[in-house]
Amino acid sequence: MISRRMQKMVAANSVIRAMFEEGLKLAKEYGRENVYDFSLGNPNVPAPEALKKAAIKILQEEDPVKVHGYMPNAGFPTVREKIALSINKRFATDFSASNIIMTVGAAGGLNIALKALLNPGDEVITFAPFFGEYKNYVANFDGELVVVPPNTETFQPDLSAFRELIRPQTKAVIINSPNNPTGVVYSEETIKRLSAILEDKQKEFATSIYLISDEPYRELVYGGATVPYLTKYYRNTLVGYSYSKSLSIPGERLGYVVVPSEVDDFEQLFQAMTVANRILGFVNSPSLMQLAVAECLEEKTDIAYYDRNRETLYLGLTKLGFSCVKPEGAFYLFMKTPIEDDSAFSQAAKKFNILVVPGSAFGCPGFVRIAYCVAYETIVNSLPKFAELAKLYEL
Ligand code: PLP
């Protein structure tokens, strides 16, 4: 018999993954070109050619014992140093290899941070809508996820509600900007106010509250939007980054966490996260990818590709009468459903071979997430189907 904990987690298995499986089934039945699968954030822009070249060169020229062997659990020191310097150059920070832990994607980074920080019953606050896996990650370490209700006008965090929810047992706050699922970028004003609230509450309760900035979409912004670098606003900040989206390598599982030297209990925390990397079974992040990505830190994905998708989808849907906040980042559009029941709406969309994920999966019912990291043709060809869907609801 599997554990009671896993029975619950299996029962609540990811809606996104279920939709993705559904998409594969529909594609078999109707042909791939007739299915408009917007369910998964799997980048369709290929990884940069430079990454392939770097990986091949490493395989051909480097010592295989080094390339395929174990290394320190925090990752290759040379790779961590290069990443630290690249962050310093871009954000005027002052990090070194001793502030970087290489992780198995953003997911691995969040899990090692939570493993290092949480005692049973500790609370972690996040803002709806949020990446649904946060709930599982916090539950992995017997913590409680506390969700700040969404501000559905702008999708900037509701900071008054946030202030009320911080308690002595609040150990961490996870924020994600550019945001999955809304595509909204949290403004500098928001970050300043959020930081001030955290400073106040740390003083009031004489605790350390760590702000975990989950940033797999940092590089994916449009129209000149800027994403503040959070370590500059709040001292107890950890930054979780991933190359899954910025280099289109989600299957390779590579990211890092920045642990600034000035965070409370830095030495202990860095060590605890490094040990967590090992004992959660990751041991270290993939070695070949660490070495290859370190040669490609200046590489960028094709933002113009996603931007064209974003404009076409946003314009197409709003013309049909659907309403949504125009995304400034990531590759998701969060659309208000014309009926309250977002699951029923997603089911109705499926009848037109359109696959979207109900907002309830992100703690925000009444919306659906449309992942536009797909072929441009999929967007264009889906619009007549969305038009038929709109007609159902007399938009
Ligand atoms: N955090 C957010 C907000 C995400 O959207 C995702 C993946 O979609 C992750 C974390 C996990 O990313 P990774 O594939 O790097 O583990």
Side-chain angles (χ1 to χ4, degrees):
M1 183 66 128
I2 63 169
S3 70
R4 283 190 292 279
R5 178 194 294 245
M6 280 312 293
Q7 286 175 31
K8 268 196 220 150
M9 286 189 170
V10 171
N13 197 11
S14 167
V15 181
I16 304 177
R17 284 278 156 182
M19 274 286 172
F20 179 63
E21 305 288 335
E22 188 78 35
L24 295 179
K25 244 196 257 162
L26 286 177
K28 252 192 194 158
E29 199 173 329
Y30 297 98
R32 253 183 81 181
E33 66 288 1
N34 299 316
V35 177
Y36 313 101
D37 187 351
F38 299 106
S39 63
L40 200 62
N42 207 3
N44 74 318
V45 168
E49 192 60 22
L51 184 69
K52 183 162 95 186
K53 286 197 178 129
I56 292 171
K57 188 161 186 274
I58 290 162
L59 285 171
Q60 285 174 337
E61 296 177 12
E62 300 276 340
D63 174 6
V65 173
K66 174 187 166 188
V67 175
H68 301 300
Y70 291 126
M71 86 279 314
N73 297 137
F76 288 113
T78 49
V79 170
R80 290 156 51 206
E81 189 66 27
K82 276 188 186 168
I83 289 174
L85 295 181
S86 153
I87 299 171
N88 293 346
K89 199 167 89 187
R90 285 183 299 148
F91 306 113
T93 47
D94 192 20
F95 302 126
S96 71
S98 60
N99 300 110
I100 309 286
I101 302 177
M102 301 307 295
T103 62
V104 175
L110 289 166
N111 274 281
I112 63 166
L114 295 170
K115 170 109 180 141
L117 289 172
L118 297 186
N119 287 310
D122 279 349
E123 293 181 352
V124 177
I125 301 182
T126 199
F127 298 88
F130 62 96
F131 180 52
E133 296 287 46
Y134 293 163
K135 208 172 185 162
N136 296 325
Y137 299 165
V138 170
N140 279 345
F141 311 106
D142 298 321
E144 298 287 335
L145 187 71
V146 175
V147 178
V148 181
N151 161 5
T152 52
E153 289 302 308
T154 61
F155 289 112
Q156 293 286 325
D158 178 348
L159 294 176
S160 315
F162 172 57
R163 179 186 281 278
E164 298 306 313
L165 289 170
I166 305 174
R167 308 202 296 159
Q169 52 272 57
T170 304
K171 202 62 179 284
V173 174
I174 305 178
I175 70 168
N176 165 228
S177 166
N179 183 261
N180 173 9
T182 63
V184 164
V185 174
Y186 294 175
S187 67
E188 185 180 35
E189 178 57 26
T190 295
I191 299 304
K192 282 184 174 162
R193 285 181 51 216
L194 182 134
S195 303
I197 292 170
L198 284 172
E199 295 288 3
D200 274 3
K201 290 289 174 181
Q202 283 194 141
K203 268 199 207 115
E204 183 184 337
F205 300 133
T207 54
S208 301
I209 306 174
Y210 292 88
L211 177 61
I212 304 175
S213 181
D214 181 27
E215 313 193 335
Y217 303 99
R218 165 167 285 282
E219 261 73 58
L220 275 67
V221 286
Y222 313 102
T226 51
V227 185
Y229 205 77
L230 296 200
T231 58
K232 300 174 123 177
Y233 297 83
Y234 180 66
R235 190 171 51 80
N236 278 333
T237 297
L238 308 178
V239 178
Y241 185 78
S242 164
Y243 294 99
S244 294
K245 320 286 170 162
S246 59
L247 292 183
S248 297
I249 52 168
E252 302 291 353
R253 315 302 307 131
L254 191 73
Y256 61 79
V257 181
V258 181
V259 188
S261 306
E262 58 273 17
V263 299
D264 290 344
D265 303 314
F266 165 71
E267 302 273 347
Q268 273 181 313
L269 180 58
F270 192 91
Q271 202 183 13
M273 289 172 65
T274 305
V275 171
N277 224 8
R278 191 184 83 232
I279 67 180
L280 285 174
F282 301 129
V283 182
N284 55 251
S285 68
S287 61
L288 173 61
M289 270 302 128
Q290 284 190 45
L291 297 168
V293 162
E295 299 303 313
C296 299
L297 297 179
E298 304 293 321
E299 287 297 319
K300 292 188 170 39
T301 190
D302 187 354
I303 288 291
Y305 187 97
Y306 294 131
D307 198 10
R308 183 165 76 141
N309 282 1
R310 174 184 79 120
E311 292 288 355
T312 308
L313 185 63
Y314 177 77
L315 204 73
L317 292 176
T318 47
K319 258 193 192 160
L320 291 172
F322 289 109
S323 81
C324 27
V325 174
K326 190 169 185 182
E328 284 189 292
F331 38 47
Y332 307 109
L333 185 142
F334 209 46
M335 186 176 86
K336 194 165 170 31
T337 50
I339 48 170
E340 232 171 78
D341 186 339
D342 49 321
S343 296
F345 179 80
S346 305
Q347 290 303 325
K350 211 160 71 185
K351 300 225 167 72
F352 298 94
N353 283 355
I354 297 172
L355 296 177
V356 292
V357 181
S360 309
F362 307 92
C364 189
F367 290 81
V368 286
R369 186 191 78 172
I370 307 176
Y372 58 82
C373 45
V374 296
Y376 180 64
E377 295 67 40
T378 304
I379 307 251
V380 172
N381 296 336
S382 72
L383 288 173
K385 295 288 171 190
F386 273 111
E388 289 180 50
L389 183 61
K391 264 199 213 128
L392 277 189
Y393 300 100
E394 295 171 6
L395 292 181

